[in-house]
Amino acid sequence: GMLVDAFNEMAAQLQESREVATRSTADLRRSNRALDERRRYIETLVANLSTAVVSLDRDGRVTTSNPASRDILGLELAAGDEFRARLGEPGLEPLRGLMEAVARRDGESLRQDLDLARDGKSLSVSVQIAPLRGGQGEDLGTLVMVEDLTELVRAQRAAAWREVARRIAHEIKNPLTPIQLAAQRLRKKFQEGAPDLSEVVRDATETVEREVGALKSLVDEFSRFARMPDPAPRPVDFRAIIDAVLALYRGVQGVRWEVETSRDLGFVCVDGEQMRRALINLIDNALTAMGGSGTVRVTARGYAGPGSLRVEVADTGPGIPPGDRDRLFLPNFSTKRRGTGLGLAIVHRVVTDHGGSIRVEDNRPRGARFVIEIPG
């Protein structure tokens, strides 16, 4: 009887275990189907993105890539490829340099606009590189996203240049009015044989010279922006560039200057003349914003290993309203009453031609801070 009871109890337990296993198997199948559907959905979503998406493992080897990677980068990427090695092809060097800069920053996210070349064409892209973290914070690798902004940038540039043309016409028309009035007054006095003709001639010629000088300055500024040469980088002592620029402002009264350069900055590979022009534009803007009194702080240091450069120019002016920051570097935008809007556009072009980025931040406790970052 004991044996029969034990056998029946064992049979009941086996039956119960089988039912539990059957239910668990069904749940597991449902979970697997849900996971497969979710995986297929994500794969389909990524495959149809117009943005290139490449995931890398901790060793920098490709784990997944979508078709847009081939369309934008011109690369046929396969699982296991060493991504940085594949970026050695002509035209992709800026992206490789950015990847190397991120590697030196120990997993820090980075977003930057770059100009790439492919099939003889120039591409304007926005690159975002971010670390992949697991649920427990473990390092799973890196995610690289490259968005093609060529058409958008082309449309923005066309719109900006249309606005530039409108502003040029407006700025040129302003000096023409006093020139015309001076000529009419001079002719009238001459026809009348007025006794104060010599005085009128002097006043009229001064007006013409002044307004023609303003026109010439305007045309020169637009011409410099339109004909800026390609940068010719070479190793330079950036501290010497800062010293040379600040020497131009030693006679400015009411301004306190603060300069800080890290000892390990060393030589950086940039076009010294173009960077000098960019610094002058930033400092001029800072002085104008402060109304002639306040503090200007200039700092320079490396930020991503040897050869990299981060320059900050901060002021204690009223700052930049958030609504103006997206338009700040366009060639048609100016916060100055008689500004042409080209100063910061020139700075932006200099920085991007060096493969770097520029942004504006709030300065504490007040004012604005422009940050330039150029990878090594």
Side-chain angles (χ1 to χ4, degrees):
M2 291 175 59
L3 179 62
V4 170
D5 291 342
F7 183 83
N8 289 336
E9 184 180 355
M10 181 185 68
Q13 290 176 350
L14 287 174
Q15 179 66 24
E16 183 180 354
S17 297
R18 187 174 68 176
E19 291 175 356
V20 170
T22 301
R23 289 195 299 269
S24 298
T25 302
D27 292 341
L28 183 59
R29 286 174 179 170
R30 284 193 296 269
S31 298
N32 286 337
R33 283 197 299 269
L35 288 174
D36 286 340
E37 291 175 0
R38 184 182 181 89
R39 177 180 55 80
R40 285 194 298 268
Y41 173 76
I42 294 176
E43 288 177 351
T44 303
L45 183 66
V46 172
N48 286 277
L49 286 176
S50 60
T51 300
V53 180
V54 182
S55 62
L56 311 175
D57 62 17
R58 285 177 292 182
D59 296 325
R61 297 186 179 278
V62 176
T63 54
T64 60
S65 64
N66 65 343
S69 304
R70 179 185 64 250
D71 299 335
I72 296 177
L73 302 177
L75 298 176
E76 290 285 353
L77 296 173
D81 286 351
E82 189 175 347
F83 188 57
R84 272 192 281 176
R86 295 297 307 277
L87 295 178
E89 298 187 14
L92 300 179
E93 294 88 349
L95 180 54
R96 179 170 181 168
L98 188 61
M99 291 292 299
E100 293 173 349
V102 170
R104 293 192 293 265
R105 295 174 73 164
D106 194 22
E108 183 180 346
S109 297
L110 181 65
R111 184 185 183 113
Q112 189 166 311
D113 294 338
L114 298 176
D115 289 328
L116 306 179
R118 190 170 68 82
D119 299 331
K121 298 179 181 179
S122 178
L123 296 180
S124 297
V125 299
S126 176
V127 181
Q128 183 167 356
I129 304 173
L132 288 173
R133 303 293 185 190
Q136 303 299 322
E138 65 271 22
D139 182 13
L140 300 180
T142 306
L143 182 66
V144 181
M145 292 175 288
V146 183
E147 184 178 4
D148 187 357
L149 303 178
T150 304
E151 294 300 324
L152 176 62
V153 170
R154 185 177 293 120
Q156 288 178 338
R157 286 175 178 171
W161 278 112
R162 283 195 296 270
E163 183 64 18
V164 167
R166 187 191 66 80
R167 288 179 63 88
I168 289 176
H170 176 75
E171 295 292 340
I172 288 178
K173 186 161 61 172
N174 283 340
L176 292 181
T177 300
I179 291 175
Q180 182 182 22
L181 292 176
Q184 291 173 348
R185 183 185 179 205
L186 184 59
R187 181 177 59 190
K188 180 181 178 183
K189 291 292 184 178
F190 177 76
Q191 290 174 345
E192 293 175 352
D196 59 345
L197 180 60
S198 60
E199 182 179 347
V200 172
V201 169
R202 184 181 65 252
D203 293 342
T205 52
E206 288 178 355
T207 299
V208 171
E209 288 177 355
R210 182 178 63 251
E211 299 302 329
V212 168
L215 275 174
K216 184 176 182 298
S217 176
L218 175 68
V219 172
D220 287 344
E221 191 169 353
F222 277 103
S223 178
R224 282 196 302 270
F225 177 71
R227 298 180 183 178
M228 283 184 61
D230 293 333
R234 62 181 182 84
V236 297
D237 182 358
F238 203 79
R239 285 183 291 263
I241 294 178
I242 294 176
D243 292 341
V245 170
L246 294 182
L248 302 174
Y249 298 93
R250 285 175 181 165
V252 178
Q253 301 296 322
V255 176
R256 181 168 175 257
W257 300 94
E258 296 180 356
V259 182
E260 180 183 342
T261 57
S262 63
R263 294 182 178 180
D264 59 346
L265 178 60
F267 282 73
V268 292
C269 193
V270 296
D271 187 315
E273 181 57 32
Q274 290 195 11
M275 292 301 298
R276 175 180 174 276
R277 186 182 304 131
L279 278 178
I280 289 175
N281 274 314
L282 291 177
I283 292 175
D284 282 343
N285 279 359
L287 295 178
T288 302
M290 295 189 307
S293 63
T295 301
V296 176
R297 179 176 176 82
V298 182
T299 64
R301 63 182 184 274
Y303 77 100
S308 63
L309 175 66
R310 173 182 285 165
V311 182
E312 298 181 8
V313 178
D315 62 66
T316 56
I320 306 294
D324 290 343
R325 295 183 182 181
D326 290 339
R327 301 178 294 160
L328 202 58
F329 300 106
L330 294 176
N332 64 321
F333 181 76
S334 176
T335 57
K336 301 176 184 177
R337 187 172 61 87
R338 292 186 59 85
T340 60
L342 289 179
L344 290 178
I346 290 174
V347 175
H348 182 267
R349 181 166 174 181
V350 168
V351 174
T352 54
D353 283 352
H354 281 80
S357 63
I358 181 172
R359 64 182 183 274
V360 61
E361 302 173 348
D362 290 330
N363 188 36
R364 303 297 180 187
R366 66 189 302 265
R369 180 171 68 249
F370 287 84
V371 182
I372 295 173
E373 292 182 343
I374 298 176

